[in-house]
Amino acid sequence: SRVGPTDWIRLAKLLDKNREEFDAFVVVHGTDTMAYTASALSLMLRGFRKPIILTGSQLPLASPRSDARQNLIDSLTIATASSRAPHVACNEVAVCFGGQLLRGNRAQKTNANTYYAFSSPSYPPLAQLGIEPEWNLRVMLQNTQESPGPY
């Protein structure tokens, strides 16, 4: 199904409501509208100061060649990165897919036929995920004192 503005508002409110209960958030999402959701959340939750990582897969989890498991593991790795060396906090909305971490409001779905479905033509990746994340610290958002909202 298509996720749109009503869903984005509901999700933003749910994340905000639970922000003090959790250190990070991973949102599993369909790929057709994931970039739109990431962009909307990045604007609605500006200054959230916690990782909000969106991910999904090109193939369903039950499929033998599914990318779902690796994308989920990569997303959890990014979401919890501040708790282990080198203690990098991705305190922004991002899309983690196909071994890349992309700024949420710069990600685009550019390929429906490969595991590397998302890219960011106008902004470099925040990280590349291999054996360990390779962080691009110079392009990551720094912590701000802004509050999220309004929705």
Side-chain angles (χ1 to χ4, degrees):
S1 72
R2 297 258 177 211
V3 176
T6 302
D7 304 299
W8 302 334
I9 292 168
R10 188 175 330 128
L11 182 55
K13 287 181 177 180
L14 182 63
L15 290 165
D16 186 49
K17 177 181 174 186
N18 289 287
R19 72 184 294 175
E20 298 305 321
E21 300 297 319
F22 301 98
D23 295 328
F25 300 88
V26 173
V27 178
V28 179
H29 198 292
T31 60
D32 288 345
T33 57
M34 186 183 330
Y36 301 113
T37 299
S39 187
L41 289 177
S42 76
L43 297 172
M44 288 190 281
L45 297 173
R46 197 173 96 204
F48 194 77
R49 296 185 306 273
K50 291 188 179 186
I52 300 173
I53 312 301
L54 282 78
T55 195
S57 64
Q58 290 289 73
L59 296 173
L61 180 61
S63 176
R65 293 184 34 82
S66 178
D67 54 330
R69 185 173 293 110
Q70 188 63 53
N71 287 340
L72 186 57
I73 290 167
D74 286 348
S75 296
L76 292 169
T77 298
I78 294 299
T80 60
S82 66
S83 65
R84 65 188 177 288
H87 304 287
V88 176
C90 177
N91 290 332
E92 58 183 284
V93 177
V95 172
C96 186
F97 205 96
Q100 293 191 97
L101 182 67
L102 306 173
R103 172 151 296 144
N105 58 18
R106 301 298 178 127
Q108 298 176 11
K109 185 171 182 183
T110 53
N111 195 320
N113 298 312
T114 71
Y115 294 124
Y116 306 101
F118 289 84
S119 64
S120 178
S122 64
Y123 202 79
L126 304 177
Q128 299 285 338
L129 290 111
I131 294 172
E132 292 291 331
E134 293 179 27
W135 298 98
N136 190 352
L137 298 175
R138 66 178 180 75
V139 300
M140 295 180 69
L141 291 180
Q142 303 302 311
N143 281 336
T144 65
Q145 297 303 316
E146 299 178 48
S147 297
Y151 308 111

